[in-house]
Amino acid sequence: MTADASTKAPELDVPTAAPVFAHASEAEMARILDFYAVRWEYEPRTFPILWNLDGAVVESFSPDFYLPELDLYLEMTTLKQRLVRKKNRKLRRLRGLYPDIRIKLFYARDFRAIMLKYGRLALADSLSGTLGQVPSERLQADAPLPLPITPPAPVVRPATGEPRRRRPRTAQEAYVDR
Amino acid sequence: MRTPTDLMADIGEVLLDEDRIQARIRELGAQISADYAGRRITLVSVLKGSLPFMADLMRSITLPLRIDLMEVSSYGGATTESSGLVRILKDLSTSIEGEEVLICEDIIDTGLTLNYLIRYLKGKRPTSLRICTLLDKPARRLVEIPVDYTGFTIPDQFVVGYGLDYDELYRNLRFVGVLKPEVYAAPE
């Protein structure tokens, strides 16, 4: 084989239809995953994590990304570290109820660190501490920065099977952490 | 771009000094030599950061070996804007089909680059494909990659030196150090 400068990456099969993102950090992460040819789905699944005594779901958790080839969910937050307690609690509950689910919480410090690595620290700093979910300011993955505000659009959710979950065993457990 | 006049002044802490690095590389070389005894291996260095590591590692291995170099574009770099997809900037110069390949990495953190490289190199049908990294930063791993040889597992800090750069500088330091935050937070 001979040296082949600037060979285009093979085996790339990245999403073509960009979903709308709730936060610019998610759009940036989608671009990074696309860059490295890692398949992803955006908020493909919602996990109920709390039910009332009637069995109705009162709290749920939709991880930002699912990486099917890695069987890994990825949740991102740009909130400052001291403000992520609620998200950590939801994550603990998710892990308790769905022990087979692999999920990683990507904190603001993690996002900042990879942005530093990629020379995009200014972007990370501009997003740090902002709210993680801003439905009225949904952002597109392929839009140039600064990302424009786009009208809300339905998120494509692939028809996937209901995840296996463990229902609360007692009413007390159902109300825990409320 | 800020050009430091004194590289050492930008280092907040020496994480791994030269002696420690060299001692560990000798251990890795001995282990690799034992594991591959009687076989020939091909070391593949992932440019640019792993160059010093491979230069020292290859001299610690007692087996017959070949070396080759690869370079892939990094997200956010000047070469990424046109397509938004990773590109092979420097491909292997010789075939690795039927070869025992050992990838030499400077550091693994998210694992995204290495994950891509593994997929790419597997397509070239080597007999075996293993990973050797000087530094492993597991705290931020996204892609779980089985690493066969690890020099050091390091904490979640931004490190430079011994091939590792910030803005293409600090690679020539003989140790691995933690860059002072004010260096990368400095105004343009």
mmCIF file of all heavy atoms in Angstrom, chain B residues 127-163:
data_model
loop_
_atom_site.group_PDB
_atom_site.id
_atom_site.type_symbol
_atom_site.label_atom_id
_atom_site.label_comp_id
_atom_site.label_asym_id
_atom_site.label_seq_id
_atom_site.Cartn_x
_atom_site.Cartn_y
_atom_site.Cartn_z
ATOM 1 N N THR B 127 -3.091 -9.923 11.250
ATOM 2 C CA THR B 127 -3.318 -11.152 12.020
ATOM 3 C C THR B 127 -3.836 -10.807 13.408
ATOM 4 O O THR B 127 -4.723 -11.475 13.951
ATOM 5 C CB THR B 127 -1.998 -11.944 12.142
ATOM 6 O OG1 THR B 127 -1.575 -12.292 10.830
ATOM 7 C CG2 THR B 127 -2.186 -13.195 12.977
ATOM 8 N N SER B 128 -3.238 -9.798 14.002
ATOM 9 C CA SER B 128 -3.708 -9.339 15.303
ATOM 10 C C SER B 128 -3.550 -7.828 15.376
ATOM 11 O O SER B 128 -2.747 -7.238 14.634
ATOM 12 C CB SER B 128 -2.911 -10.004 16.435
ATOM 13 O OG SER B 128 -1.569 -9.551 16.428
ATOM 14 N N LEU B 129 -4.340 -7.238 16.238
ATOM 15 C CA LEU B 129 -4.306 -5.782 16.393
ATOM 16 C C LEU B 129 -4.439 -5.483 17.882
ATOM 17 O O LEU B 129 -5.480 -5.770 18.487
ATOM 18 C CB LEU B 129 -5.454 -5.137 15.611
ATOM 19 C CG LEU B 129 -5.478 -3.615 15.549
ATOM 20 C CD1 LEU B 129 -4.244 -3.059 14.850
ATOM 21 C CD2 LEU B 129 -6.735 -3.139 14.827
ATOM 22 N N ARG B 130 -3.374 -4.974 18.457
ATOM 23 C CA ARG B 130 -3.397 -4.668 19.881
ATOM 24 C C ARG B 130 -3.084 -3.188 20.104
ATOM 25 O O ARG B 130 -2.578 -2.516 19.195
ATOM 26 C CB ARG B 130 -2.397 -5.539 20.645
ATOM 27 C CG ARG B 130 -2.812 -6.994 20.740
ATOM 28 C CD ARG B 130 -1.843 -7.759 21.613
ATOM 29 N NE ARG B 130 -2.229 -9.149 21.772
ATOM 30 C CZ ARG B 130 -1.562 -10.014 22.520
ATOM 31 N NH1 ARG B 130 -0.477 -9.630 23.170
ATOM 32 N NH2 ARG B 130 -1.951 -11.259 22.629
ATOM 33 N N ILE B 131 -3.339 -2.753 21.325
ATOM 34 C CA ILE B 131 -3.195 -1.340 21.662
ATOM 35 C C ILE B 131 -2.164 -1.185 22.779
ATOM 36 O O ILE B 131 -2.229 -1.889 23.791
ATOM 37 C CB ILE B 131 -4.522 -0.739 22.170
ATOM 38 C CG1 ILE B 131 -5.701 -1.131 21.265
ATOM 39 C CG2 ILE B 131 -4.408 0.775 22.343
ATOM 40 C CD1 ILE B 131 -5.612 -0.612 19.891
ATOM 41 N N CYS B 132 -1.266 -0.241 22.585
ATOM 42 C CA CYS B 132 -0.334 0.138 23.640
ATOM 43 C C CYS B 132 -0.399 1.653 23.788
ATOM 44 O O CYS B 132 -0.197 2.380 22.815
ATOM 45 C CB CYS B 132 1.085 -0.298 23.276
ATOM 46 S SG CYS B 132 2.326 0.167 24.515
ATOM 47 N N THR B 133 -0.714 2.108 24.975
ATOM 48 C CA THR B 133 -0.778 3.556 25.192
ATOM 49 C C THR B 133 0.118 3.951 26.351
ATOM 50 O O THR B 133 0.213 3.220 27.341
ATOM 51 C CB THR B 133 -2.227 4.017 25.455
ATOM 52 O OG1 THR B 133 -2.253 5.449 25.542
ATOM 53 C CG2 THR B 133 -2.792 3.449 26.739
ATOM 54 N N LEU B 134 0.750 5.078 26.206
ATOM 55 C CA LEU B 134 1.559 5.568 27.313
ATOM 56 C C LEU B 134 0.661 6.016 28.454
ATOM 57 O O LEU B 134 0.898 5.681 29.610
ATOM 58 C CB LEU B 134 2.447 6.731 26.857
ATOM 59 C CG LEU B 134 3.282 7.357 27.973
ATOM 60 C CD1 LEU B 134 4.336 6.384 28.472
ATOM 61 C CD2 LEU B 134 3.926 8.657 27.514
ATOM 62 N N LEU B 135 -0.374 6.768 28.098
ATOM 63 C CA LEU B 135 -1.258 7.328 29.123
ATOM 64 C C LEU B 135 -2.695 6.906 28.873
ATOM 65 O O LEU B 135 -3.158 6.877 27.732
ATOM 66 C CB LEU B 135 -1.185 8.867 29.107
ATOM 67 C CG LEU B 135 0.209 9.487 29.226
ATOM 68 C CD1 LEU B 135 0.117 11.001 29.090
ATOM 69 C CD2 LEU B 135 0.865 9.103 30.540
ATOM 70 N N ASP B 136 -3.374 6.616 29.937
ATOM 71 C CA ASP B 136 -4.795 6.284 29.860
ATOM 72 C C ASP B 136 -5.539 7.205 30.815
ATOM 73 O O ASP B 136 -5.198 7.305 31.992
ATOM 74 C CB ASP B 136 -5.023 4.821 30.253
ATOM 75 C CG ASP B 136 -6.468 4.390 30.013
ATOM 76 O OD1 ASP B 136 -7.221 5.170 29.398
ATOM 77 O OD2 ASP B 136 -6.828 3.278 30.431
ATOM 78 N N LYS B 137 -6.521 7.898 30.261
ATOM 79 C CA LYS B 137 -7.342 8.789 31.082
ATOM 80 C C LYS B 137 -8.781 8.264 31.031
ATOM 81 O O LYS B 137 -9.586 8.699 30.212
ATOM 82 C CB LYS B 137 -7.266 10.216 30.528
ATOM 83 C CG LYS B 137 -7.815 11.263 31.473
ATOM 84 C CD LYS B 137 -7.989 12.610 30.774
ATOM 85 C CE LYS B 137 -6.687 13.309 30.516
ATOM 86 N NZ LYS B 137 -6.890 14.666 29.939
ATOM 87 N N PRO B 138 -9.098 7.291 31.859
ATOM 88 C CA PRO B 138 -10.393 6.604 31.731
ATOM 89 C C PRO B 138 -11.593 7.437 32.159
ATOM 90 O O PRO B 138 -12.730 7.084 31.829
ATOM 91 C CB PRO B 138 -10.235 5.383 32.645
ATOM 92 C CG PRO B 138 -9.200 5.773 33.629
ATOM 93 C CD PRO B 138 -8.272 6.725 32.933
ATOM 94 N N ALA B 139 -11.359 8.526 32.860
ATOM 95 C CA ALA B 139 -12.482 9.287 33.415
ATOM 96 C C ALA B 139 -13.444 9.780 32.335
ATOM 97 O O ALA B 139 -14.631 9.936 32.581
ATOM 98 C CB ALA B 139 -11.954 10.481 34.214
ATOM 99 N N ARG B 140 -12.912 10.039 31.168
ATOM 100 C CA ARG B 140 -13.767 10.607 30.133
ATOM 101 C C ARG B 140 -14.013 9.652 28.975
ATOM 102 O O ARG B 140 -14.350 10.061 27.875
ATOM 103 C CB ARG B 140 -13.163 11.909 29.612
ATOM 104 C CG ARG B 140 -14.228 12.847 29.069
ATOM 105 C CD ARG B 140 -13.707 14.218 28.769
ATOM 106 N NE ARG B 140 -13.125 14.786 29.968
ATOM 107 C CZ ARG B 140 -11.813 15.007 30.133
ATOM 108 N NH1 ARG B 140 -10.986 14.688 29.194
ATOM 109 N NH2 ARG B 140 -11.354 15.534 31.243
ATOM 110 N N ARG B 141 -13.874 8.394 29.220
ATOM 111 C CA ARG B 141 -14.012 7.416 28.141
ATOM 112 C C ARG B 141 -15.445 7.358 27.634
ATOM 113 O O ARG B 141 -16.381 7.219 28.410
ATOM 114 C CB ARG B 141 -13.592 6.037 28.624
ATOM 115 C CG ARG B 141 -13.536 5.006 27.528
ATOM 116 C CD ARG B 141 -12.250 5.054 26.699
ATOM 117 N NE ARG B 141 -11.205 4.244 27.300
ATOM 118 C CZ ARG B 141 -10.119 4.754 27.869
ATOM 119 N NH1 ARG B 141 -9.934 6.054 27.914
ATOM 120 N NH2 ARG B 141 -9.213 3.970 28.389
ATOM 121 N N LEU B 142 -15.600 7.458 26.340
ATOM 122 C CA LEU B 142 -16.901 7.235 25.712
ATOM 123 C C LEU B 142 -16.937 5.860 25.067
ATOM 124 O O LEU B 142 -17.925 5.150 25.158
ATOM 125 C CB LEU B 142 -17.169 8.304 24.640
ATOM 126 C CG LEU B 142 -17.601 9.676 25.128
ATOM 127 C CD1 LEU B 142 -17.800 10.610 23.938
ATOM 128 C CD2 LEU B 142 -18.893 9.582 25.918
ATOM 129 N N VAL B 143 -15.871 5.526 24.388
ATOM 130 C CA VAL B 143 -15.805 4.232 23.712
ATOM 131 C C VAL B 143 -14.889 3.322 24.523
ATOM 132 O O VAL B 143 -13.706 3.610 24.694
ATOM 133 C CB VAL B 143 -15.240 4.392 22.284
ATOM 134 C CG1 VAL B 143 -15.278 3.050 21.570
ATOM 135 C CG2 VAL B 143 -16.023 5.436 21.517
ATOM 136 N N GLU B 144 -15.472 2.239 25.013
ATOM 137 C CA GLU B 144 -14.664 1.284 25.782
ATOM 138 C C GLU B 144 -13.794 0.474 24.825
ATOM 139 O O GLU B 144 -14.299 -0.249 23.985
ATOM 140 C CB GLU B 144 -15.573 0.367 26.595
ATOM 141 C CG GLU B 144 -16.324 1.080 27.712
ATOM 142 C CD GLU B 144 -15.398 1.759 28.717
ATOM 143 O OE1 GLU B 144 -14.277 1.265 28.912
ATOM 144 O OE2 GLU B 144 -15.799 2.788 29.295
ATOM 145 N N ILE B 145 -12.522 0.628 24.980
ATOM 146 C CA ILE B 145 -11.571 -0.049 24.101
ATOM 147 C C ILE B 145 -10.644 -0.911 24.960
ATOM 148 O O ILE B 145 -10.078 -0.410 25.932
ATOM 149 C CB ILE B 145 -10.747 0.986 23.314
ATOM 150 C CG1 ILE B 145 -11.652 1.744 22.345
ATOM 151 C CG2 ILE B 145 -9.601 0.323 22.559
ATOM 152 C CD1 ILE B 145 -10.996 2.926 21.687
ATOM 153 N N PRO B 146 -10.531 -2.168 24.618
ATOM 154 C CA PRO B 146 -9.599 -2.999 25.397
ATOM 155 C C PRO B 146 -8.157 -2.578 25.122
ATOM 156 O O PRO B 146 -7.682 -2.682 23.997
ATOM 157 C CB PRO B 146 -9.876 -4.418 24.883
ATOM 158 C CG PRO B 146 -10.496 -4.235 23.537
ATOM 159 C CD PRO B 146 -11.197 -2.916 23.551
ATOM 160 N N VAL B 147 -7.501 -2.082 26.140
ATOM 161 C CA VAL B 147 -6.111 -1.628 25.998
ATOM 162 C C VAL B 147 -5.198 -2.738 26.524
ATOM 163 O O VAL B 147 -5.341 -3.186 27.661
ATOM 164 C CB VAL B 147 -5.875 -0.323 26.779
ATOM 165 C CG1 VAL B 147 -4.435 0.147 26.599
ATOM 166 C CG2 VAL B 147 -6.850 0.759 26.311
ATOM 167 N N ASP B 148 -4.274 -3.176 25.685
ATOM 168 C CA ASP B 148 -3.440 -4.318 26.046
ATOM 169 C C ASP B 148 -2.245 -3.918 26.897
ATOM 170 O O ASP B 148 -1.817 -4.676 27.760
ATOM 171 C CB ASP B 148 -2.975 -5.017 24.762
ATOM 172 C CG ASP B 148 -4.148 -5.491 23.922
ATOM 173 O OD1 ASP B 148 -4.733 -6.525 24.268
ATOM 174 O OD2 ASP B 148 -4.516 -4.808 22.949
ATOM 175 N N TYR B 149 -1.712 -2.748 26.624
ATOM 176 C CA TYR B 149 -0.539 -2.284 27.370
ATOM 177 C C TYR B 149 -0.745 -0.815 27.738
ATOM 178 O O TYR B 149 -0.966 0.007 26.852
ATOM 179 C CB TYR B 149 0.734 -2.429 26.533
ATOM 180 C CG TYR B 149 0.975 -3.831 26.030
ATOM 181 C CD1 TYR B 149 0.603 -4.196 24.734
ATOM 182 C CD2 TYR B 149 1.569 -4.790 26.833
ATOM 183 C CE1 TYR B 149 0.814 -5.478 24.262
ATOM 184 C CE2 TYR B 149 1.789 -6.081 26.370
ATOM 185 C CZ TYR B 149 1.403 -6.415 25.091
ATOM 186 O OH TYR B 149 1.611 -7.690 24.619
ATOM 187 N N THR B 150 -0.673 -0.530 29.026
ATOM 188 C CA THR B 150 -0.859 0.843 29.499
ATOM 189 C C THR B 150 0.360 1.263 30.310
ATOM 190 O O THR B 150 0.771 0.553 31.236
ATOM 191 C CB THR B 150 -2.117 0.944 30.382
ATOM 192 O OG1 THR B 150 -3.257 0.543 29.614
ATOM 193 C CG2 THR B 150 -2.321 2.374 30.874
ATOM 194 N N GLY B 151 0.898 2.412 29.959
ATOM 195 C CA GLY B 151 2.023 2.935 30.727
ATOM 196 C C GLY B 151 1.578 3.465 32.077
ATOM 197 O O GLY B 151 1.988 2.978 33.127
ATOM 198 N N PHE B 152 0.692 4.440 32.016
ATOM 199 C CA PHE B 152 0.219 5.075 33.245
ATOM 200 C C PHE B 152 -1.259 5.427 33.095
ATOM 201 O O PHE B 152 -1.684 5.882 32.035
ATOM 202 C CB PHE B 152 0.989 6.377 33.525
ATOM 203 C CG PHE B 152 2.466 6.205 33.638
ATOM 204 C CD1 PHE B 152 3.289 6.387 32.525
ATOM 205 C CD2 PHE B 152 3.059 5.870 34.845
ATOM 206 C CE1 PHE B 152 4.666 6.230 32.610
ATOM 207 C CE2 PHE B 152 4.432 5.710 34.943
ATOM 208 C CZ PHE B 152 5.237 5.889 33.820
ATOM 209 N N THR B 153 -1.997 5.211 34.146
ATOM 210 C CA THR B 153 -3.365 5.732 34.222
ATOM 211 C C THR B 153 -3.287 7.064 34.964
ATOM 212 O O THR B 153 -2.757 7.126 36.076
ATOM 213 C CB THR B 153 -4.277 4.753 34.968
ATOM 214 O OG1 THR B 153 -4.294 3.511 34.248
ATOM 215 C CG2 THR B 153 -5.697 5.295 35.053
ATOM 216 N N ILE B 154 -3.793 8.094 34.311
ATOM 217 C CA ILE B 154 -3.611 9.431 34.872
ATOM 218 C C ILE B 154 -4.954 10.047 35.245
ATOM 219 O O ILE B 154 -6.002 9.670 34.713
ATOM 220 C CB ILE B 154 -2.854 10.355 33.896
ATOM 221 C CG1 ILE B 154 -3.664 10.566 32.610
ATOM 222 C CG2 ILE B 154 -1.470 9.810 33.593
ATOM 223 C CD1 ILE B 154 -3.123 11.681 31.740
ATOM 224 N N PRO B 155 -4.921 11.035 36.137
ATOM 225 C CA PRO B 155 -6.165 11.705 36.528
ATOM 226 C C PRO B 155 -6.663 12.626 35.418
ATOM 227 O O PRO B 155 -5.993 12.836 34.403
ATOM 228 C CB PRO B 155 -5.753 12.506 37.767
ATOM 229 C CG PRO B 155 -4.281 12.716 37.614
ATOM 230 C CD PRO B 155 -3.756 11.509 36.904
ATOM 231 N N ASP B 156 -7.835 13.161 35.656
ATOM 232 C CA ASP B 156 -8.515 13.978 34.654
ATOM 233 C C ASP B 156 -7.930 15.392 34.634
ATOM 234 O O ASP B 156 -8.536 16.332 35.129
ATOM 235 C CB ASP B 156 -10.006 14.005 34.975
ATOM 236 C CG ASP B 156 -10.806 14.618 33.849
ATOM 237 O OD1 ASP B 156 -10.210 14.867 32.788
ATOM 238 O OD2 ASP B 156 -12.002 14.860 34.044
ATOM 239 N N GLN B 157 -6.736 15.517 34.080
ATOM 240 C CA GLN B 157 -6.076 16.821 33.971
ATOM 241 C C GLN B 157 -5.548 16.994 32.560
ATOM 242 O O GLN B 157 -5.282 16.010 31.870
ATOM 243 C CB GLN B 157 -4.916 16.911 34.974
ATOM 244 C CG GLN B 157 -5.378 16.916 36.425
ATOM 245 C CD GLN B 157 -4.198 16.818 37.383
ATOM 246 O OE1 GLN B 157 -3.429 15.871 37.340
ATOM 247 N NE2 GLN B 157 -4.068 17.807 38.248
ATOM 248 N N PHE B 158 -5.383 18.239 32.154
ATOM 249 C CA PHE B 158 -4.883 18.504 30.807
ATOM 250 C C PHE B 158 -3.362 18.451 30.834
ATOM 251 O O PHE B 158 -2.721 19.297 31.453
ATOM 252 C CB PHE B 158 -5.372 19.853 30.299
ATOM 253 C CG PHE B 158 -5.110 20.046 28.832
ATOM 254 C CD1 PHE B 158 -5.930 19.457 27.892
ATOM 255 C CD2 PHE B 158 -4.027 20.779 28.394
ATOM 256 C CE1 PHE B 158 -5.676 19.606 26.534
ATOM 257 C CE2 PHE B 158 -3.766 20.937 27.030
ATOM 258 C CZ PHE B 158 -4.602 20.350 26.104
ATOM 259 N N VAL B 159 -2.825 17.450 30.163
ATOM 260 C CA VAL B 159 -1.380 17.220 30.245
ATOM 261 C C VAL B 159 -0.705 17.502 28.902
ATOM 262 O O VAL B 159 -1.309 17.354 27.835
ATOM 263 C CB VAL B 159 -1.068 15.777 30.696
ATOM 264 C CG1 VAL B 159 -1.497 15.561 32.133
ATOM 265 C CG2 VAL B 159 -1.737 14.755 29.782
ATOM 266 N N VAL B 160 0.537 17.902 29.001
ATOM 267 C CA VAL B 160 1.357 18.163 27.814
ATOM 268 C C VAL B 160 2.740 17.561 28.058
ATOM 269 O O VAL B 160 3.073 17.150 29.165
ATOM 270 C CB VAL B 160 1.496 19.681 27.535
ATOM 271 C CG1 VAL B 160 0.157 20.298 27.160
ATOM 272 C CG2 VAL B 160 2.108 20.403 28.737
ATOM 273 N N GLY B 161 3.524 17.553 27.005
ATOM 274 C CA GLY B 161 4.894 17.075 27.111
ATOM 275 C C GLY B 161 5.047 15.650 26.628
ATOM 276 O O GLY B 161 4.074 14.912 26.477
ATOM 277 N N TYR B 162 6.257 15.267 26.322
ATOM 278 C CA TYR B 162 6.580 13.942 25.808
ATOM 279 C C TYR B 162 5.643 13.577 24.635
ATOM 280 O O TYR B 162 5.042 12.533 24.584
ATOM 281 C CB TYR B 162 6.503 12.897 26.917
ATOM 282 C CG TYR B 162 7.214 11.616 26.559
ATOM 283 C CD1 TYR B 162 8.601 11.560 26.435
ATOM 284 C CD2 TYR B 162 6.500 10.458 26.309
ATOM 285 C CE1 TYR B 162 9.246 10.399 26.066
ATOM 286 C CE2 TYR B 162 7.133 9.286 25.944
ATOM 287 C CZ TYR B 162 8.507 9.265 25.825
ATOM 288 O OH TYR B 162 9.140 8.097 25.462
ATOM 289 N N GLY B 163 5.524 14.519 23.733
ATOM 290 C CA GLY B 163 4.702 14.319 22.543
ATOM 291 C C GLY B 163 3.343 14.981 22.601
ATOM 292 O O GLY B 163 2.768 15.335 21.573
#
